[in-house]
Amino acid sequence: MKLVVTEKNDAAQQIARLLGTGRPKADKVYDTPVYRFAVDGEEWVTIGLRGHILAPDFPTELKFDESQGWYAVSDEGEVMPADVPDGLARPPFPTKRKPFLADGVDIKGWKVPSLPYLVWAPIEKRPAEKGIIRALKNLAKKADSIVIGTDFDREGELIGSDALNQIRQVAPDTPVSRARYSAFTKAEIDHAFANLVDLDQDLADAGESRQYIDLVWGAVLTRYLTLARQGGFGNVRSAGRVQTPTLALVVEKELERERFVPEDYWVISGHLSHDGSEPFRCTHATARFKDKAAADAAFSHVQGARRATVTEVAKKARTQRPPAPFNTTSLQAAAASEGLSPARTMRLAESLYMKGLTSYPRVDNTVYPRSLDLRECVRTLSHVPQYAKVCGEILGQEKIVATRGKQETTDHPPIYPTAAADPHDLQPAEWKLYNLIARRFLATLMGPSTSEGTKLTFDVAGEPFQTTGSVLTKPGFRAIYPFGLKKDDQLPALEEGDVCDVVDMALDAKQTEPPARYSQGRLIQEMERQGLGTKSTRANIIQRLYDVKYLKGDPVEPSQLGIAVISALHEFAPPITTPHMTAELEEDMNKVAEGTDTQDEVVERSRAILAGLIDNLIEHKDDLGEEIADAVTADAKVGVCPKCGRDLVMKTSAKNHSSFIGCMGWPDCDVTYPVPKGRIEPLPDPCPVCGAPRVKVTPFRQRPYEICVNPACETNYEPDVVVGTCAACAAKGKEAKLVAHKSERTGKRFIRCENYDECGTSYPLPQRGELHALGETCPECGAPMVEIVTQRGPWRICVNMDCPSKEKAKATRGAAAGKGRAAGKGKASGSKAAGKGKAGASKAGASKSKAAASRAKSTSSKAATKAGATAGRARRTSTKAKPAAEGDASAAEQG
């Protein structure tokens, strides 16, 4: 048996499908999925690891013994020596209070005095996926040979190395080799397994060096910032070797904006028209008047002018070269311009890669390798109707020549499409990214575009005016790649001496603008330029800064907490906030990958740098804590309490972890308000009716709206609406109305029976939209039907969330999705057998849909009279507030 170890379950499934003859058999070893198939009569098995199966962590204690010095004991009982400097105190300590122990130091508990010891603590790797490790060892004992098929980068090599270490515990002599591939295509996987190599231990050591260094820096700095000011409105306050200088870039840009002193200037502009044409804008040749008197004088000449004479016509052609192929950074920047954050872009790119639609997404390379058959790639894309015309033109060329970027590596090709995709088989965001990648690939194989720019100069009452326009004359690569292209700005066909009518003239007072904030795409590019992070980590680092509330918005803006953290660290430990130290450590890790330096030496040097900073930070802990406390309060502020005048801030309930708005004067002032669902942004002016704060609410994937946070305010009042009669009460011979009501305490809307205390019938309602009673009942369950009018238009709903009609709709969607997936698999394989599989899957899905609908109908007929009460109780249970997710300390410590 040959065992193939991949990074994830999807990869194991793909490799089994591409290598095997016939359909692979899905199986399980213990609880871990595996795939069995045959290659030339030999039995093969693939297993996916779910990423890292071992996690680095610190022991609970450091111990000291006169004979063997400092050491720690692992979970397995192994003694691990610790190279703690002689300058740190040793037992016996003058105090027995933790973290100090009779024979050492407790480094598991978060205590400031333990941080200098934590810097030097040994690191052990503990099982993170015990079930997968158990299954891996079970298969390894039975295997004749093993192939590591994890992703080919530092992280993938480390995952493979960790898996190999586990394998060697049970199969020390079994041959192990490495398969490297860049896409899940038949040709690529066949080539990888026909050209197996050895696992690159230097590359794995470089990945492990990063793991260890990031753990040490993240743990020490995160614990320090968190302990510097306990409590407040945040939990864990994250920091890290790369995270902190990245935040510093954003903070420095914000401080630059704050230091900016705007200058006044004046602009004279107007609109002209020629022979009844659409008016076009023109501006005075002096684009900015810095002297108000000069601006007034010039405007006095043109204020009543009626004619403008063309004095000069200048035309100039501008050629734009096609773009370079996508690497990770340029893909993230382009996707950010289309509304996809870097973190989401990488999740989508990984999904497309695993589906076999695009190549490996974590690359630096911007030059297609000679081995890549560009013509075949274009031929594949020609099956996508949106690209067919352009693909035909490219295939008609005698020779296909691609653009080349500045970065050329040999590990992976640039990001390109590996298969034709159907938008109906993908989520909208997946198709959006695939479309960007496919169009970029085709653009790199096309010619330049040409635009003709026109500059017109006019005389208006003796004052010079001008305007410019641009028209795309030769599309070139722009025929397939419109991203970033400005719309044509067509001007009338004018010649020197032509006369235009002056439609209007205006003198506007303006001020110079501060430097623009970073967009997420630009921040990724700046991180690359400064040597911060890697192609694989930059998006996650930015997302982490958002998660811990150091950043907000896009363009990226630092919170007051983010500014305070950088300000304090820059004062007391400036190297932490600069990219130079981080870039040097990155270079050290590159040397480990090249085999010119060792992992131990690089990790020890990073510990020494951190040790040189931590003492000064501890000395100024209280100063930093005060800055954090003030910043946290400022970030949490929503407005001013209308009762006592103190600040109203966002708080978290200690009981159920839900958010609410409360007064800083508590317990003397008990004013609290619920928090609307969505992203909250305070508005500058309070509610004119009740004096409570007003906020802008942006629900997930919905349009923002503004609202007073006081549910009892007149601006939030909605009259009760009778929507029907209670079926549960009617079944008992009683008559009771169902009334739609908006709570003055919570601001939530719901339908409730007048006799609710006895029958318990209640239904939830959408929280936004105008509510209309229809006077109809649902034919499936007897609950009321209502109409909700939103910005997207009116829509009719049954208010019973457990209505069988909703189960039918869910079953139908499931059948349709199954049909789509089966169709996609049929396309991917291109065989008759796959086609039959598709048809079978479709029939099976339809059969399941009918069965589900039949069961739902049967259920509804049996429970019609009890549906209202049952649904109400079930819904009330399901909609109880759930505890908010706490900050993940372990993730923070590796920041």
Side-chain angles (χ1 to χ4, degrees), residues 504-712:
D504 58 48
M505 281 288 168
L507 172 63
D508 296 313
K510 297 190 176 184
Q511 286 188 324
T512 53
E513 295 288 335
R517 294 185 174 104
Y518 290 111
S519 65
Q520 289 196 40
R522 280 188 57 222
L523 182 57
I524 285 275
Q525 292 173 312
E526 184 64 18
M527 290 173 70
E528 182 180 52
R529 192 181 74 81
Q530 299 271 15
L532 294 174
T534 68
K535 57 185 178 292
S536 303
T537 62
R538 293 183 185 115
N540 291 335
I541 288 165
I542 292 176
Q543 187 59 50
R544 179 65 185 164
L545 291 171
Y546 276 98
D547 292 343
V548 295
K549 295 183 171 52
Y550 287 166
L551 299 181
K552 57 185 179 180
D554 190 12
V556 185
E557 181 181 354
S559 65
Q560 290 300 314
L561 176 58
I563 293 173
V565 166
I566 293 301
S567 174
L569 290 178
H570 184 71
E571 181 178 356
F572 305 127
I576 295 176
T577 64
T578 62
H580 309 300
M581 176 269 298
T582 296
E584 288 176 7
L585 290 175
E586 291 288 348
E587 184 58 34
D588 285 346
M589 285 181 273
N590 289 337
K591 291 178 181 177
V592 175
E594 295 163 3
T596 58
D597 208 339
T598 68
Q599 175 183 328
D600 290 342
E601 291 174 350
V602 168
V603 174
E604 287 305 301
R605 282 201 294 271
S606 76
R607 291 182 191 260
I609 294 172
L610 181 58
L613 302 171
I614 193 63
D615 289 340
N616 195 45
L617 284 173
I618 292 175
E619 183 180 344
H620 294 91
K621 177 178 73 72
D622 293 339
D623 298 328
L624 184 138
E626 290 302 320
E627 288 195 42
I628 288 177
D630 294 341
V632 167
T633 304
D635 279 331
K637 183 177 177 179
V638 177
V640 177
C641 177
K643 181 177 178 180
C644 71
R646 299 281 296 274
D647 287 342
L648 284 172
V649 296
M650 294 284 290
K651 294 187 175 184
T652 301
S653 168
K655 184 176 181 181
N656 59 17
H657 303 287
S658 61
S659 296
F660 67 97
I661 297 170
C663 181
M664 287 292 288
W666 187 88
D668 298 326
C669 180
D670 60 357
V671 170
T672 61
Y673 301 113
V675 178
K677 198 170 185 178
R679 190 175 74 247
I680 307 298
E681 299 175 57
L683 296 174
D685 299 321
C687 175
V689 176
C690 69
R694 285 178 55 79
V695 295
K696 178 182 177 182
V697 184
T698 307
F700 181 65
R701 292 184 180 176
Q702 296 181 39
R703 294 182 183 179
Y705 63 92
E706 297 179 0
I707 190 172
C708 172
V709 299
N710 179 11

Side-chain angles (χ1 to χ4, degrees), residues 383-399:
H383 294 97
V384 181
Q386 292 91 329
Y387 316 141
K389 181 181 177 182
V390 167
C391 288
E393 294 172 359
I394 295 174
L395 292 172
Q397 300 173 10
E398 184 177 339
K399 186 178 180 181

Side-chain angles (χ1 to χ4, degrees), residues 241-507:
R241 177 184 62 87
V242 181
Q243 187 185 127
T244 303
T246 299
L247 175 61
L249 291 176
V250 180
V251 170
E252 177 54 37
K253 180 68 71 174
E254 195 67 19
L255 296 179
E256 187 181 348
R257 288 171 56 86
E258 291 179 1
R259 291 192 297 265
F260 178 79
V261 179
E263 296 180 1
D264 294 328
Y265 68 94
W266 291 263
V267 174
I268 301 176
S269 64
H271 290 85
L272 307 181
S273 178
H274 179 66
D275 289 343
S277 68
E278 186 73 20
F280 57 93
R281 189 173 184 270
C282 65
T283 58
H284 196 282
T286 302
R288 294 183 177 186
F289 286 90
K290 296 186 178 181
D291 179 44
K292 178 68 163 59
D296 288 338
F299 185 64
S300 67
H301 297 155
V302 302
Q303 189 171 12
R306 293 290 177 265
R307 295 162 62 86
T309 304
V310 180
T311 59
E312 184 180 355
V313 178
K315 294 181 181 292
K316 185 177 181 181
R318 186 176 72 90
T319 299
Q320 184 181 10
R321 288 174 49 80
F326 269 147
N327 64 4
T328 302
T329 300
S330 56
L331 172 64
Q332 289 171 332
S337 299
E338 298 303 310
L340 298 174
S341 70
R344 192 177 185 203
T345 295
M346 293 313 295
R347 288 195 297 271
L348 294 170
E350 178 74 17
S351 175
L352 294 174
Y353 165 66
M354 296 306 304
K355 291 178 178 179
L357 296 174
T358 59
S359 61
Y360 189 63
R362 297 181 182 87
V363 298
D364 292 320
N365 196 3
T366 56
V367 178
Y368 296 125
R370 292 183 180 180
S371 59
L372 182 62
D373 191 337
L374 298 175
R375 189 173 293 275
E376 183 58 33
C377 291
V378 177
R379 196 174 287 115
T380 299
L381 283 182
S382 66
H383 294 97
V384 181
Q386 292 91 329
Y387 316 141
K389 181 181 177 182
V390 167
C391 288
E393 294 172 359
I394 295 174
L395 292 172
Q397 300 173 10
E398 184 177 339
K399 186 178 180 181
I400 298 178
V401 179
T403 58
R404 296 171 62 91
K406 295 180 180 179
Q407 295 170 286
E408 184 173 9
T409 61
T410 58
D411 51 355
H412 292 285
I415 303 166
Y416 71 98
T418 57
D422 185 339
H424 299 99
D425 293 339
L426 299 176
Q427 295 294 327
E430 286 181 320
W431 169 253
K432 187 175 189 178
L433 187 64
Y434 175 87
N435 186 49
L436 178 65
I437 292 171
R439 289 178 180 273
R440 177 65 163 242
F441 169 74
L442 293 173
T444 64
L445 309 180
M446 300 174 70
S449 68
T450 303
S451 299
E452 183 180 73
T454 303
K455 181 179 179 181
L456 301 177
T457 305
F458 303 88
D459 178 275
V460 182
E463 295 290 338
F465 277 73
Q466 60 189 25
T467 188
T468 58
S470 180
V471 178
L472 189 67
T473 56
K474 182 181 176 183
F477 75 93
R478 285 298 186 184
I480 193 68
Y481 195 76
F483 307 102
L485 177 65
K486 294 182 180 179
K487 292 182 179 179
D488 283 352
D489 190 5
Q490 183 79 49
L491 294 174
L494 295 171
E495 300 292 339
E496 191 172 327
D498 286 348
V499 177
C500 296
D501 298 323
V502 177
V503 178
D504 58 48
M505 281 288 168
L507 172 63

